[in-house]
Amino acid sequence: MLTSVCGGPGITGRLARLITHHLLQSDPTLTIKGYCRDLSKTSSSSLLASSLSDNTSKNNISITAGDPYDSTQLRHFVRGCDVVICTYLGDHRLMTEGQKLLIDACEQEGVRRYVASDWTLDYDKLEYGQHPQKDAQKVVKGYLGEEGRRVKGVHILIGIFYETFWSDYFGIFRHGEDGEEGFRYWGTGEEVWEGISYDDAAKYTAAVVLDEEAVGVLSFLGDRKSMKQLVAEFAEVYGVDPTTKCLGTVEELQIQMKATREREPGNIFAWLAEQTYVPSELDNARYPNVKPATFKEFLETHRRVEELNTLYTKAAEDL
């Protein structure tokens, strides 16, 4: 089986590296082709320099530098592959035009399945423009679903990554310099958060890639918890009583996000964060060998509270 892993940052990107790691853990005989814009980055990647080096020496991994908008290069890259995994993360053009060109290359070269760059909430429940960062994923899903398409689309929904939830990006959890821990949230505190770790998402993705029957939308979670439950679990794990602050209702949050977007349309991180639940019917049971960590178990693996805000940038550094 020939599996191709590519992405905006290419095989050097966080999720792509984790997926590659778990693919090789599952089947060291796999042939994997990586695609990235800057080949020099591969030499500085800790995962490629250590976990993948032995496999590279066996010639079952090859890494190619290329332009995501060069159809000829893309066709050469996917040629002979059974599956292409796209881990693009970039602007709207890359996430739409870039993926369409990659899908076209797969179609022309007879690739059987295309794993779209999703790993997110259920964007099918959103209207175009409601959550602009997800519009590209809706476009790509529609493109893959066009009548007569031979390459089959695979879309993996995971809610949010635990590492992102605890990061400064979400702004939910704050670890102060004085050691005070606090949570800030919108709503009643009963609203449910759904998520999974980067590593467990990669494990499920690897399982999906190796499952030739896996097509369409698949949903995986490590846990579902309300904010009140998360605060209680945090207190239990770390033995502290964190502060909590309600910032307003969900409706007030939506009004503020809209106003911020109109005021700062280019600053997506100022208004992007919002949640849409994945389908209640999960696909976890399809791959029983994967045992995803719960929110609490994830915290228990990070005993130093001050680590939590930095996990987003370190998700794949310690493989």
Side-chain angles (χ1 to χ4, degrees):
M1 180 180 189
L2 183 60
T3 302
S4 176
V5 180
C6 63
I11 199 170
T12 61
R14 176 187 300 113
L15 186 58
R17 286 182 281 154
L18 285 164
I19 293 169
T20 303
H21 172 76
H22 289 299
L23 282 170
L24 293 172
Q25 287 284 309
S26 299
D27 185 356
T29 68
L30 282 176
T31 299
I32 296 180
K33 299 167 69 176
Y35 195 76
C36 62
R37 288 179 174 178
D38 185 356
L39 200 58
S40 66
K41 289 183 179 180
T42 61
S43 62
S44 61
S45 164
S46 60
L47 177 57
L48 289 168
S50 56
S51 299
L52 301 188
S53 59
D54 291 341
N55 293 287
T56 304
S57 66
K58 296 174 184 176
N59 297 318
N60 61 333
I61 294 181
S62 62
I63 304 170
T64 304
D67 187 326
Y69 303 107
D70 188 315
S71 298
T72 301
Q73 288 181 328
L74 291 173
R75 286 193 63 173
H76 177 75
F77 169 60
V78 305
R79 189 166 296 152
C81 293
D82 293 317
V83 185
V84 165
I85 310 166
C86 181
T87 57
Y88 284 166
L89 180 61
D91 60 21
H92 186 76
R93 182 188 177 216
L94 178 66
M95 301 302 289
T96 52
E97 182 182 337
Q99 283 204 78
K100 284 183 177 182
L101 288 170
L102 187 54
I103 292 166
D104 290 345
C106 291
E107 186 79 13
Q108 293 160 348
E109 296 297 331
V111 176
R112 298 174 186 175
R113 290 183 295 151
Y114 178 90
V115 182
S117 189
D118 290 340
W119 297 281
T120 186
L121 46 76
D122 188 358
Y123 50 83
D124 272 341
K125 297 175 182 176
L126 297 168
E127 301 293 334
Y128 278 104
Q130 186 177 356
H131 201 327
Q133 188 72 358
K134 304 305 176 188
D135 285 355
Q137 291 161 328
K138 294 173 67 67
V139 169
V140 169
K141 187 170 183 286
Y143 194 67
L144 277 165
E146 289 181 353
E147 187 175 352
R149 182 80 65 192
R150 290 178 298 171
V151 59
K152 303 301 181 183
V154 181
H155 307 273
I156 298 177
L157 305 181
I158 54 88
I160 61 173
F161 290 114
Y162 292 158
E163 292 86 348
T164 307
F165 178 86
W166 294 106
S167 72
D168 288 335
Y169 161 59
F170 258 64
I172 292 171
F173 170 72
R174 295 295 176 92
H175 173 70
E177 294 181 0
D178 57 359
E180 181 180 350
E181 280 73 51
F183 289 81
R184 304 189 308 169
Y185 64 93
W186 295 84
T188 64
E190 301 290 350
E191 292 83 6
V192 173
W193 290 86
E194 302 178 326
I196 196 169
S197 71
Y198 266 100
D199 194 46
D200 287 333
K203 289 177 183 177
Y204 276 122
T205 302
V208 168
V209 169
L210 296 173
D211 179 1
E212 296 183 4
E213 302 301 316
V215 296
V217 177
L218 297 105
S219 303
F220 304 104
L221 288 180
D223 207 356
R224 286 185 171 110
K225 285 289 190 308
S226 71
M227 180 58 64
K228 291 181 178 179
Q229 290 173 315
L230 288 169
V231 171
E233 290 186 348
F234 179 92
E236 182 178 348
V237 170
Y238 295 106
V240 299
D241 185 17
T243 62
T244 59
K245 180 180 180 180
C246 177
L247 301 176
T249 66
V250 172
E251 292 74 18
E252 289 172 332
L253 169 62
Q254 292 170 338
I255 292 170
Q256 177 172 307
M257 287 175 62
K258 181 179 179 181
T260 305
R261 180 187 168 195
E262 291 174 350
R263 186 174 64 252
E264 303 177 67
N267 184 14
I268 63 171
F269 296 106
W271 48 263
L272 179 61
E274 193 175 357
Q275 57 178 316
T276 302
Y277 301 133
V278 303
S280 57
E281 297 279 336
L282 299 178
D283 294 288
N284 291 38
R286 183 167 180 161
Y287 308 107
N289 290 336
V290 180
K291 307 293 184 182
T294 63
F295 272 110
K296 184 178 180 182
E297 289 168 340
F298 180 80
L299 290 178
E300 290 173 336
T301 63
H302 301 282
R303 300 302 303 184
R304 296 172 60 240
V305 177
E306 57 269 25
E307 291 181 23
L308 296 178
N309 286 142
T310 66
L311 293 177
Y312 177 68
T313 58
K314 295 183 176 180
E317 289 181 3
D318 298 325
L319 278 177

